[in-house]
Amino acid sequence: MNIGILGGGQLAQMLALAGIPLGLRFTVLDPAEQAPAGAAAHVLRASFDDAAALDRLAARSDVISLDFENVPVAAVERLAAQRPVRPGALALATSQDRLAEKTLCHRLGLPTAPFAPVDSAAELAGAAAELGTPALAKTRRFGYDGKGQYRLTHPDEAGAAWEALGGQPLILEGWVPFDFEVSLLAVRRVNGEQRFYPLSENRHHGGILRCSRAPFDDPELQRQAQRYAGALLEALDYVGVLAIEFFVQAGRLLVNELAPRVHNSGHWTIEGAQTSQFENHLRAICDLPLGSTEPRGHAAMVNLIGEEPPLAQLAALPELHIHRYGKSARPGRKLGHVTVTAASAAEREARLAPLARLCEADLPASSLGLPDPTASR
Ligand code: AMP
């Protein structure tokens, strides 16, 4: 089977790496000069609104998916008239707009931060007075990795926030003093079969995911998360992997964000689960039986952000799996990730310590949730 993917970043690269052993072949469409997926897939270099290139992608593909949600819905609709696109336009349109996303959660009875739509500086001030401060103003569309956000500490800051976010439609969210963050990867096949991975606990640094640990063992939270995910999968008639990010506050989950694709917080599944999120996404969109989502021991995934430690030094660490995306270094850019695996959570933490020391120059050990290695000196 031939798989087409809109977007040719590291997610498309890892989809191709998972699918090639199944006999699948890949074509990606991406405007970048050097799309990371080019190492494992045929690349059509074109913009997402290039009709002729979209038609070439459709002609080369039996089924089409995406590695990036900020593609024009019109591109997906054009492709969908020619080939199945999974997940489809409804899932994409919903997750592209934070207001649509939160409104769907509200309709399904899933808890979120309190929120209000905002279309002017005056409305922002009114919403901040109503929801209370601190509050977080977010652009409705095209936000990622903490970009497109402004934290208001007083309704008086509405004018400055409106300016800073470019005078576009916003959503204002009440501040959630969460205890920690987790995510759930859910997968649904064309015929409706569903599976769920164990929760992962996620730590961010500067708004960017830094580290995910799994399995996060809390049966009650796992049950809540699967119930919410099941409702979303059905409401969106979803096919493929859906990632849901949650805040955990006093033992209860609040939905923060959906991603209609494989997700960074699920990279640990490559070595840490019986079937990776990438393989299960492909099984789902090809209407094949889904693979087991059971964990294999304990895993932690660490993103390499902005700088990569030298390969020889990474390769010298035990039980470390290295994934480099072939991207040039730039501050804040995800250049690769590494995953440590272990038989127990304690052993996993011990294996993270030398990695934290190696990365210390770029990001502190605390960003991995580890003690500062210099504190005892
Ligand atoms: P997002 O782009 O919505 O995933 O936000 C990026 C990060 O900002 C999240 O992972 C949280 O750490 C933080 N954040 C987002 N929304 C809120 C909120 N309503 N209250 C507190 N922190 C938030």
Side-chain angles (χ1 to χ4, degrees):
M1 256 179 121
N2 294 301
I3 311 292
I5 304 180
L6 280 172
Q10 63 264 21
L11 300 179
Q13 182 191 58
M14 288 184 273
L15 282 167
L17 291 173
I20 289 168
L22 300 182
L24 307 176
R25 294 297 175 262
F26 292 81
T27 303
V28 302
L29 189 149
D30 196 291
E33 196 176 326
Q34 284 224 311
H42 180 81
V43 181
L44 298 174
R45 187 177 170 207
S47 73
F48 295 120
D49 51 14
D50 180 333
L54 291 167
D55 293 349
R56 272 206 306 282
L57 179 69
R60 291 181 61 95
S61 309
D62 298 305
V63 56
I64 296 169
S65 194
L66 38 105
D67 97 329
F68 176 60
E69 59 271 39
N70 288 326
V71 292
V73 171
V76 167
E77 285 169 346
R78 185 178 184 98
L79 291 170
Q82 303 175 61
R83 293 289 186 274
V85 181
R86 297 171 179 153
L90 173 63
L92 186 67
T94 305
S95 60
Q96 278 182 351
D97 183 335
R98 290 183 191 273
L99 180 61
E101 203 171 83
K102 290 238 159 38
T103 305
L104 173 65
C105 289
H106 193 68
R107 182 163 70 74
L108 297 173
L110 315 188
T112 65
F115 65 94
V118 161
D119 285 311
S120 67
E123 278 184 29
L124 183 57
E130 193 154 312
L131 288 184
T133 47
L136 208 53
K138 301 181 178 180
T139 55
R140 258 184 227 171
R141 302 170 67 83
F142 305 125
Y144 68 100
D145 285 348
K147 293 187 174 61
Q149 301 192 1
Y150 194 106
R151 188 173 184 269
L152 283 90
T153 54
H154 192 278
D156 284 356
E157 292 162 17
W162 180 255
E163 264 315 272
L165 295 174
Q168 56 178 309
L170 304 176
I171 178 170
L172 185 72
E173 293 183 12
W175 187 258
V176 180
F178 57 81
D179 303 321
F180 54 95
E181 296 180 81
V182 297
S183 58
L184 184 80
L185 298 167
V187 56
R188 183 170 178 268
R189 182 184 168 189
V190 177
N191 72 358
E193 180 191 358
Q194 299 178 4
R195 296 211 186 202
F196 305 94
Y197 285 90
L199 288 169
S200 75
E201 189 209 344
N202 305 322
R203 286 174 188 265
H204 296 80
H205 186 82
I208 304 177
L209 180 68
R210 174 68 168 147
C211 179
S212 293
R213 288 172 169 85
F216 181 75
D217 187 19
D218 184 321
E220 177 46 35
L221 288 184
Q222 183 78 33
R223 245 191 319 274
Q224 270 182 48
Q226 291 187 190
R227 192 153 46 82
Y228 298 166
L232 288 164
L233 289 174
E234 293 299 326
L236 295 169
D237 192 18
Y238 197 90
V239 177
V241 166
L242 173 71
I244 309 169
E245 296 183 80
F246 297 99
F247 300 135
V248 182
Q249 193 189 16
R252 114 180 228 272
L253 293 174
L254 305 180
V255 177
N256 175 36
E257 204 173 17
L258 310 180
R261 53 172 168 75
V262 287
H263 192 254
N264 194 173
S265 67
H267 292 359
W268 65 271
T269 61
I270 297 175
E271 294 87 9
Q274 294 294 351
T275 314
S276 76
Q277 62 163 344
F278 300 100
E279 183 175 334
N280 257 341
H281 181 73
L282 295 168
R283 287 178 178 229
I285 67 170
C286 294
D287 201 14
L288 295 167
L290 301 178
S292 163
T293 50
E294 286 298 306
R296 296 197 285 197
H298 295 257
M301 185 280 326
V302 175
N303 273 333
L304 304 175
I305 301 167
E307 292 274 348
E308 283 180 289
L311 180 58
Q313 291 184 26
L314 283 174
L317 298 179
E319 298 298 327
L320 187 81
H321 304 276
I322 303 166
H323 299 260
R324 303 169 81 211
Y325 307 150
K327 290 161 130 182
S328 50
R330 200 192 298 151
R333 199 171 198 205
K334 291 175 184 167
L335 302 176
H337 75 267
V338 292
T339 300
V340 293
T341 51
S344 69
E347 193 181 12
R348 174 190 67 199
E349 297 307 297
R351 287 189 174 148
L352 274 175
L355 176 66
R357 279 195 291 278
L358 192 57
C359 298
E360 180 71 16
D362 309 317
L363 282 169
S366 61
S367 68
L368 303 183
L370 291 173
D372 176 359
T374 59
S376 57
R377 279 184 216 154

